[in-house]
Amino acid sequence: MDKFKIIGGTPLTGEVVVSPAKNAAVAIIPACVLADGPCIVDKIPDITDINVELEILRRLGATVEMLDDDTVRIDCTKINMVQCDTELVRKLRASYYFMGAMLGKYGKVSTAYPGGCPLGNRQKGIAGINYHIQGFESLGAKLTAHNYTTGEITIEASELKGNEIILEFPSVGATINIMMAAVKAEGTTVIRNAAREPHVTAVANFLIQMGAKIKNAGTDEITITGVASLRGANCEIIPDQIEAGTYMVMAAATGGDVIVKNIVKEHMDAVTNTLSIMGVGVEEYPGAIRVYKKGSVKSTNITTSPYPGFPTDMQAIMSALLCVSDGVSHVVETVMGERFQYAKELEKMGANIRVDGKEATITGVRELSGARVVTSDLRAGAALVIAGLCANGETYISEIEHIDRGYENLIDKIRALGGNIERIKV
Ligand code: EPU
């Protein structure tokens, strides 16, 4: 297994261009199943989660053709089965989107519990996707086969009918999945307490291009009126707000000066405000944000919450910066469980973090030191990379396949900013 070797201490400087959003792309690719014609998806990120989803589509019988490095033509009209490849499904969380898309199109899907980062209820089998299943059931679908041991499930509906669905929590995955199952259902579906993340809107816009009738995506109440058929459509994936935030924090943590390009300003507000409060220099330009060292970085408190609050996906990343800030910070995680697994790894590097349930207390230290650390999940991995870049000495990060799942060209982008990082074979 490969590792990252990082020699810390160089302030990052220059420009970095943000890649297309993983969490939008991983929903838009399965959404192509719903179209009765070919779709062209432009600006797909080159990350393992996407490559696995494209392979799931191929095995279903779809034609998947790369038109250039980041444009894919997906023709799902030849799909000839409703059985997803369960080995592939288990490789990523977002494979749950094949449930909504296949159910919406064919009224049946056989698949398995999704995989992905070991966070929250995700390891709890059906409990990790209960909002999705409850939503499908409200539309008239049933779980007709369920093997608790292998996690294999079949969901089917003789007919999908619109309904009112009130989500217990504004789950991103459940909101998008229910939207995909509902676009061809008879009648009107209303999703209340819906997630408002930018990728929910991105998927809705793609479905609208196909001919779906969806209103108010991006608010907490989405209305979907079913249509008989959907046509092929084109779309371009939005910039990745979490990748953008990662480079912003990387610039701040290394005391550098970086212009992060290809940004949607309002997607970044929670991160931008937090950095400003901490005394980090932040300047906004059309489509770009400059982050630079202004003086010492101050501690602050953060509480994660669904969009437009502080994103859970930025929690570990921002905490890496808090570890080298002046003072004591409190970090409260309200969205995902198991999101402090990075703390013990950062402690190996000299960080002072006390975790108590959903809260971490971080006392800033002057300097981190290089160490051998292990990545537990994607964003924990990004936090360790940031820590390694600002630490004194060499850091070796293992289990980096978590990071490969979500960051396009990470090594090249950091090296172009002057960071000393390489992938080594062990
Ligand atoms: N939850 C349930 N049951 C469900 C669905 C969710 O209990 O049926 C719980 C989860 O365990 C979690 C909370 O509800 O505690 C919120 O989960 P949500 O459904 O919003 O998250 P998700 O759809 O599983 C997506 C992103 C995550 C991101 C969260 C929150 C994708 C593929 N994943 O996950 O991204 O953290 O929304 O914004 O879109 C990442 O990119 O590193 C990542 C983990």
Side-chain angles (χ1 to χ4, degrees):
M1 279 297 173
D2 295 358
K3 287 187 183 190
F4 285 162
K5 175 185 174 190
I6 302 173
I7 302 175
T10 311
L12 299 194
T13 53
E15 294 181 356
V16 62
V17 179
V18 172
S19 290
K22 167 182 92 80
N23 288 346
V26 291
I28 280 171
I29 286 169
C32 295
V33 166
L34 287 158
D36 292 330
C39 296
I40 295 180
V41 185
D42 194 11
K43 302 212 187 311
I44 56 160
D46 183 13
I47 51 176
T48 38
D49 273 11
I50 295 297
N51 297 331
V52 174
E53 283 198 337
L54 293 176
E55 189 54 29
I56 293 174
L57 279 178
R58 283 190 196 98
R59 295 200 190 175
L60 284 167
T63 310
V64 176
E65 196 188 339
M66 291 305 296
L67 300 182
D68 59 40
D69 283 351
D70 62 0
T71 310
V72 65
R73 182 178 183 278
I74 298 175
D75 183 349
C76 292
T77 52
K78 302 256 164 48
I79 285 187
N80 50 22
M81 58 167 109
V82 291
Q83 171 68 59
C84 298
D85 185 304
T86 50
E87 277 313 302
L88 294 177
V89 161
R90 290 188 188 101
K91 286 187 191 289
L92 76 162
R93 174 79 177 161
S95 58
Y96 51 35
Y97 289 129
F98 285 97
M99 294 185 210
M102 302 282 288
L103 199 57
K105 179 74 178 276
Y106 305 106
K108 183 170 180 181
V109 59
S110 290
T111 181
Y113 304 154
C117 295
L119 304 168
N121 284 343
R122 291 168 162 206
Q123 302 310 296
K124 297 184 185 149
I126 202 78
I129 48 170
N130 57 341
Y131 305 152
H132 304 239
I133 303 291
Q134 285 159 13
F136 300 146
E137 285 174 345
S138 299
L139 299 176
K142 285 197 170 56
L143 205 55
T144 53
H146 186 182
N147 183 327
Y148 285 89
T149 313
T150 63
E152 285 165 294
I153 52 176
T154 297
I155 313 164
E156 49 190 313
S158 50
E159 190 186 22
L160 289 166
K161 277 201 166 162
N163 203 347
E164 179 187 339
I165 294 163
I166 305 172
L167 290 176
E168 202 174 307
F169 185 89
S171 154
V172 173
T175 301
I176 295 177
N177 236 342
I178 295 166
M179 207 161 65
M180 294 204 286
V183 279
K184 293 182 72 187
E186 195 200 314
T188 300
T189 299
V190 180
I191 311 175
R192 297 192 202 281
N193 197 25
R196 292 184 282 164
E197 268 70 1
H199 30 297
V200 175
T201 314
V203 178
N205 288 342
F206 181 43
L207 294 171
I208 290 168
Q209 288 299 312
M210 290 184 190
K213 291 192 176 153
I214 303 175
K215 280 198 188 136
N216 301 330
T219 74
D220 61 1
E221 187 175 306
I222 304 177
T223 304
I224 305 134
T225 306
V227 295
S229 64
L230 295 170
R231 56 183 175 268
N234 298 353
C235 86
E236 191 179 295
I237 306 292
I238 57 171
D240 195 312
Q241 60 173 145
I242 306 301
E243 192 205 10
T246 305
Y247 287 105
M248 289 166 69
V249 173
M250 214 177 262
T254 59
D257 187 346
V258 173
I259 297 177
V260 185
K261 290 185 155 177
N262 191 29
I263 270 185
V264 180
K265 182 207 155 299
E266 56 272 25
H267 296 175
M268 303 313 305
D269 285 347
V271 173
T272 306
N273 293 342
T274 306
L275 289 174
S276 301
I277 290 167
M278 294 171 76
V280 175
V282 181
E283 282 171 11
E284 293 178 337
Y285 299 93
I289 296 184
R290 174 184 171 212
V291 178
Y292 60 99
K293 182 183 167 76
K294 258 196 343 196
S296 68
V297 177
K298 295 191 274 291
S299 60
T300 192
N301 298 333
I302 53 176
T303 298
T304 64
S305 61
Y307 188 82
F310 190 90
T312 174
D313 291 345
M314 283 299 299
Q315 186 261 103
I317 293 161
M318 191 61 84
S319 294
L321 175 60
L322 295 175
C323 286
V324 289
S325 69
D326 282 345
V328 179
S329 306
H330 296 281
V331 178
V332 182
E333 174 59 63
T334 72
V335 178
M336 287 275 182
E338 272 75 57
R339 266 227 140 139
F340 288 120
Q341 296 176 70
Y342 63 85
K344 60 184 187 316
E345 302 304 309
L346 287 181
E347 279 174 330
K348 291 180 191 164
M349 302 178 73
N352 182 344
I353 310 179
R354 190 164 45 80
V355 178
D356 184 7
K358 292 182 169 178
E359 186 167 343
T361 304
I362 302 177
T363 305
V365 295
R366 282 184 76 83
E367 191 174 68
L368 296 174
S369 339
R372 291 180 181 269
V373 289
V374 186
T375 308
S376 56
D377 59 80
L378 171 59
R379 308 303 171 186
L384 295 175
V385 169
I386 291 171
L389 287 167
C390 65
N392 187 14
E394 291 179 4
T395 295
Y396 293 86
I397 307 180
S398 54
E399 313 229 346
I400 57 171
E401 56 281 3
H402 289 297
I403 307 177
D404 292 339
R405 290 198 16 242
Y407 285 93
E408 184 176 64
N409 294 334
L410 181 78
I411 298 277
D412 293 345
K413 287 184 179 184
I414 295 175
R415 288 173 75 94
L417 296 170
N420 192 333
I421 179 168
E422 61 181 313
R423 181 185 286 266
I424 54 169
K425 298 256 175 233
V426 279

